Amino acid sequence: MPADVVYWIGFAVALAFIVFGADDLLWDVFALFRRVGRKKVPLARINEKPPKMLAVVIAAWHEDAVIGEVIDNLVASAQYPRELYRVFLGVYPNDGATLAVARALEARHGGTVAVAVNSRPGPTSKADNINHTLSLIRGYERDHDVRFASVTIHDAEDVVHPNEFKMTSYLIDDYDALQFPVFPLIRMPRLRLFLKTLTTSTYADEFAEHHFRTMVMRDELGFVPSAGTGFAVGRRVLDAFGEGELLPEDSLTEDYRLSLTLRMRGFRVHYVLERVPRVDAQGRAVWDYIATRSLFPSAFRAAVRQKARWVYGITMQSASLGDVFGKSALTFAERTFLYKDLKAKFANFVLLPGYAVFAYFLVQTLAPQLGLPVMFPLFSPSWWMCVLLLFMMVERQVLRARALVSVYGWRSMAFSVLLPPLFPLRLLWGNLINLCVTFRAWRQKAAFTLARNRERRAAAGAQGSSASADRNGGARGRAGGGKGGRAAGVPQEGAGAPGSAGTADRAAQEAGMRIAAEDGGAAPAGAAEGAADGGTAAPAASRPAWSKTDHEFLPEPVLARYRRLLGDTLLERDAVTPAELERALARARRDGVPLGRALLAEGSVERRSLAQALALQQQTLFVEARGNLVRPDLLRRLPPGTAARFGLLPLAASPKGWIVLVDDDAAAAARAELPALLGAPAFLLYGSATDLGEALSSASAALARGSLETAPQLAAAEALLGSPHVALGQAGIALGYALHLGQPLEAVVRGMGIAVSRGRAPEEEQADAPAASAGAPS
């Protein structure tokens, strides 16, 4: 091959890499000098805000193998009152196995889990499943007199972080939607497992880099795309869409399309990269990101199928270069981020000639005796371009290494970036996957475009035949004298064209469906895309089929590592230092005593701080006892000796049960006896023995003077318990926060979203009904 041809091939490939990578370099430099991502939520404050009613949606199709363990783990680990969130499982009537597991979960977890059975047999699509579940959630709100502050979308295999609901409740008033990070679960890196975990590890590399760095930058500068899971949609968005569909059902990446639509309509999506301290298995204090974790495919073919769906849905359905360069509501920064998403369908093709050029360069350099033409002459423009490319590659690898260390630790970083250095195998394998993904996505695009064009031609021919028949019929009608001909022609045109469009080229459509089955259900999306482009509307059956990945879940010992313990809560509240906690843990193990007792013995924590942390662990509150919380009428109803034994102060009572303030030092086994002694369920708020004693003494003195006044929140709590849809735990939490914050109970209840119609005039309720649908899209 002539030397000049070799030179220009190398020059063109190097230029292509620079063109497609320059924006990444510029944004990295910008983020470095702007100090992106330094704003953090003060963890000590998140427990000071009353928790809101939250909803979770999990769409399930053939998930009977994992959904039971997923929900059991979520309920067991969530650091959020069970009475204040509901998990809605979207299932299908023809998926008997999943439906049976969902019904068992509903029975096992009381009112925390609800089953939403789709009105159509499955699988339809994930978007359809979620939209149908949302419509049932609106009915649930009306029937149970609640108002969810947000609806969080999760996948059926997710490990939901224990603090996610707490962070959602804290932030959702300030933003219209929240996206939490998604970090793949990977096995501890070991050389003997390197090849076996190679594919899964590429997910960890890419998600760590994207969700630790890029999403933070996007959050500060504009458009934040949804990841499809760990995505919380706030009340303003839900009300704006009203009864209309929230997720577009004509896209394979309905999550990305939704987030782009929200940005176009002026809603603010916030990316939540927050971390909390926790104690690891070795008793060390470490940082833990509030993120969604799940297992990703470990087989090459499965990874290609899954990623092809993402590339096709994002770059070929949800957005186009017209959104980048045309008129839109996006800012310049947002357009550049959109370009970053769209360029993948072109940039990945550069990898193939790039590796070919690199191989040629190695042979030319290491085997000069072959006499091959020099591709990059020393100090030539192409040589300097290669120097720039080397810098860009090292810079990206350094930033990837930083992300991996922060999310997965040093060992995973070493396996990803340094094995071997400069050209690591995990990077090369990931690029090979992405190259195959892009070929597959374009193959889908070409097949669907051909099928769509054939359908359009068939529809046009059918319309022409229909119009000819209409003219002939009209002539016969006129010959028959009068309007009969026109009347006969109208239904022919109206009924004939759609029918012809759906059946004119059935073979082509079936071919597209076969490709869809091979490539992950994308064929129907092509038909829907044709309708969006102004072509013949696709029939409902040709909407995207649900292409799901087979899932697996983690064993219980692994799940236990993600649950929050007392030491984690103390660290979160800054009640102890990591060093103090590690010393106390060592003492607790040595002496065989609870951690709290070891901390008190070490003098590392105040008793009140320990009581507050213990209360949070039990999904309740610590309340400072005062004289105006003493109710002599309720004390007289207690069995003799009960108040003294438990340090118990009854605050409210109803047929549903009691709300009581108890000494935090009372043994857990003794507290478990309370419902039997009281003859009804009991919701426990915690207080200190010292405060309780002083409150009783103060109340006795005030009673003797005839000046005992009871806090108004107590009577309001009993009235709240009279509401048919308010659970004992909901009323207890609301009362605890009202007393802790010194606010009227009604204000706290409204903010939480329970008993939403309580105390409202009928005209106010009627006024809200049309408001919810006024913003629905046309």
Side-chain angles (χ1 to χ4, degrees):
M1 185 180 295
D4 56 340
V5 174
V6 171
Y7 173 83
W8 285 112
I9 289 175
F11 182 90
V13 171
L15 180 63
F17 272 98
I18 290 175
V19 168
F20 284 121
D23 61 304
D24 296 324
L25 176 62
L26 293 175
W27 277 121
D28 291 340
V29 173
F30 179 84
L32 176 66
F33 286 99
R34 178 152 176 160
R35 299 173 65 85
V36 166
R38 302 306 171 97
K39 301 175 185 176
K40 296 299 176 185
V41 171
L43 295 178
R45 296 184 190 173
I46 63 176
N47 296 305
E48 296 300 311
K49 199 172 182 180
K52 299 175 175 59
M53 286 294 297
L54 304 178
V56 180
V57 173
I58 297 179
W61 165 249
H62 287 173
E63 299 289 4
D64 53 287
V66 297
I67 193 68
E69 295 170 300
V70 168
I71 301 303
D72 286 341
N73 176 68
L74 187 155
V75 174
S77 63
Q79 289 290 292
Y80 203 76
R82 293 187 186 182
E83 297 85 353
L84 293 177
Y85 69 91
R86 298 289 181 268
V87 180
F88 294 88
L89 303 178
V91 298
Y92 291 96
N94 60 328
D95 185 3
T98 304
L99 183 56
V101 175
R103 291 295 187 197
L105 289 167
E106 186 178 42
R108 183 158 67 245
H109 295 297
T112 303
V113 176
V115 178
V117 182
N118 203 296
S119 58
R120 292 187 286 174
T124 52
S125 67
K126 183 179 178 181
D128 170 76
N129 186 305
I130 293 175
N131 286 334
H132 185 270
T133 304
L134 286 174
S135 68
L136 297 182
I137 288 176
R138 295 184 184 100
Y140 182 96
E141 288 182 314
R142 292 189 293 268
D143 295 341
H144 293 78
D145 198 25
V146 298
R147 182 176 172 86
F148 293 113
S150 68
V151 175
T152 301
I153 299 170
H154 269 291
D155 286 339
E157 74 280 10
D158 287 348
V159 179
V160 180
H161 193 279
N163 281 26
E164 182 190 298
F165 296 163
K166 188 186 297 186
M167 190 61 71
T168 298
S169 177
Y170 182 82
L171 291 174
I172 200 62
D173 283 340
D174 301 324
Y175 303 99
D176 299 304
L178 306 172
Q179 175 62 61
F180 287 87
V182 178
F183 292 136
L185 288 164
I186 58 173
R187 301 179 68 175
M188 179 63 70
R190 291 184 174 88
L191 280 175
R192 61 184 177 83
L193 298 175
F194 182 78
L195 294 179
K196 184 176 181 179
T197 61
L198 191 58
T199 298
T200 302
S201 299
T202 63
Y203 280 94
D205 295 345
E206 294 170 4
F207 273 85
E209 184 175 8
H210 188 56
H211 282 222
F212 179 78
R213 296 179 49 255
T214 309
M215 292 283 276
V216 175
M217 189 161 49
R218 298 177 80 140
D219 177 60
E220 296 202 9
L221 298 175
F223 166 53
V224 175
S226 166
T229 186
F231 187 62
V233 182
R235 193 73 225 185
R236 288 183 291 270
V237 173
L238 296 172
D239 289 345
F241 280 78
E243 297 296 328
E245 65 178 35
L246 177 67
L247 292 167
E249 298 180 11
D250 61 346
S251 174
L252 290 175
T253 50
E254 66 287 329
D255 47 355
Y256 187 95
R257 175 87 70 83
L258 170 62
S259 55
L260 184 57
T261 300
L262 293 180
R263 173 61 193 93
M264 294 294 193
R265 294 181 60 171
F267 291 109
R268 173 77 164 93
V269 180
H270 174 55
Y271 181 65
V272 186
L273 185 66
E274 300 288 346
R275 60 182 188 172
V276 291
R278 72 176 178 92
V279 181
D280 67 8
Q282 287 73 42
R284 299 170 302 185
V286 296
W287 286 103
D288 179 30
Y289 284 97
I290 303 176
T292 298
R293 293 173 171 84
S294 60
L295 294 169
F296 280 76
S298 58
F300 182 90
R301 180 177 175 82
V304 170
R305 287 186 59 186
Q306 185 183 62
K307 287 188 172 184
R309 186 170 72 249
W310 298 348
V311 170
Y312 183 88
I314 292 173
T315 69
M316 301 178 187
Q317 282 187 310
S318 299
S320 67
L321 291 176
D323 298 313
V324 177
F325 300 106
K327 293 182 179 180
S328 73
L330 299 178
T331 65
F332 174 77
E334 291 167 336
R335 291 169 188 258
T336 59
F337 286 131
L338 191 61
Y339 164 74
K340 284 170 68 71
D341 297 336
L342 293 174
K343 73 177 183 180
K345 62 182 178 181
F346 304 114
N348 286 340
F349 282 128
V350 182
L351 295 172
L352 189 59
Y355 285 143
V357 165
F358 180 66
Y360 180 92
F361 174 77
L362 288 179
V363 173
Q364 166 223 300
T365 304
L366 300 178
Q369 66 274 17
L370 297 178
L372 296 176
V374 176
M375 180 169 281
F376 303 112
L378 190 63
F379 302 128
S380 67
S382 62
W383 185 87
W384 285 110
M385 291 168 65
C386 288
V387 172
L388 176 59
L389 281 176
L390 179 63
F391 170 78
M392 292 169 63
M393 183 178 67
V394 171
E395 182 261 348
R396 298 295 296 179
Q397 286 295 92
V398 168
L399 293 179
R400 171 173 286 194
R402 176 173 173 263
L404 284 166
V405 168
S406 300
V407 177
Y408 292 102
W410 287 94
R411 183 193 291 253
S412 186
M413 182 278 293
F415 274 68
S416 171
V417 177
L418 303 178
L419 192 66
L422 199 57
F423 293 101
L425 290 178
R426 263 168 52 170
L427 175 66
L428 298 178
W429 188 251
N431 285 341
L432 177 61
I433 292 174
N434 292 334
L435 178 62
C436 295
V437 161
T438 309
F439 274 114
R440 196 177 192 110
W442 277 104
R443 174 173 170 253
Q444 293 172 355
K445 176 70 173 177
F448 306 144
T449 300
L450 291 173
R452 179 189 61 187
N453 291 340
R454 285 195 296 267
E455 288 186 3
R456 284 179 173 175
R457 287 194 297 270
Q463 287 175 347
S465 300
S466 176
S468 175
D470 181 43
R471 286 194 298 272
N472 294 335
R476 287 192 294 270
R478 285 189 296 273
K483 297 183 284 186
R486 281 197 302 273
V490 172
Q492 285 181 356
E493 183 178 359
S500 300
T503 60
D505 197 346
R506 182 61 58 191
Q509 194 169 6
E510 290 176 355
M513 296 296 286
R514 285 195 298 272
I515 296 174
E518 293 177 12
D519 290 348
E529 182 185 11
D533 289 344
T536 304
S542 66
R543 288 191 172 189
W546 193 343
S547 169
K548 60 182 292 296
T549 305
D550 290 332
H551 298 138
E552 55 181 313
F553 202 54
L554 297 174
E556 178 61 26
V558 178
L559 293 171
R561 302 175 193 170
Y562 293 97
R563 293 174 186 163
R564 305 284 291 175
L565 303 177
L566 176 62
D568 305 330
T569 304
L570 288 167
L571 286 173
E572 181 183 310
R573 296 178 59 83
D574 288 330
V576 296
T577 66
E580 291 172 336
L581 181 60
E582 289 177 18
R583 286 198 303 269
L585 284 167
R587 179 168 184 162
R589 287 193 294 267
R590 184 185 70 238
D591 299 344
V593 298
L595 174 61
R597 189 173 301 174
L599 284 165
L600 291 173
E602 291 275 338
S604 302
V605 65
E606 296 180 358
R607 186 171 188 82
R608 185 176 296 268
S609 296
L610 179 61
Q612 291 170 343
L614 285 168
L616 289 173
Q617 282 295 113
Q618 300 299 319
Q619 308 306 324
T620 184
L621 277 81
F622 178 90
V623 175
E624 183 178 350
R626 302 183 297 273
N628 65 350
L629 300 184
V630 177
R631 293 188 56 183
D633 59 323
L634 293 184
L635 283 170
R636 286 191 290 269
R637 293 172 54 184
L638 295 177
T642 303
R645 179 185 173 192
F646 294 98
L648 186 147
L649 194 62
L651 304 179
S654 84
K656 292 179 181 176
W658 295 68
I659 301 174
V660 297
L661 189 62
V662 299
D663 180 5
D664 67 277
D665 200 32
R671 291 196 298 264
E673 298 178 30
L674 269 177
L677 291 172
L678 297 174
F683 181 85
L684 309 183
L685 296 168
Y686 285 16
S688 72
T690 303
D691 290 345
L692 286 165
E694 292 177 355
L696 288 170
S697 299
S698 172
S700 297
L703 188 62
R705 296 192 304 268
S707 58
L708 180 62
E709 295 183 1
T710 304
Q713 292 96 332
L714 303 188
E718 287 196 343
L720 180 64
L721 284 169
S723 298
H725 298 298
V726 176
L728 177 64
Q730 292 173 329
I733 293 165
L735 176 59
Y737 271 99
L739 295 175
H740 176 68
L741 300 174
Q743 295 180 359
L745 184 65
E746 289 290 345
V748 173
V749 166
R750 282 196 301 271
M752 292 172 62
I754 58 177
V756 293
S757 64
R758 185 168 176 263
R760 300 170 64 197
E763 56 270 19
E764 289 180 303
E765 296 181 35
Q766 293 174 2
D768 278 351
S773 58
S778 59

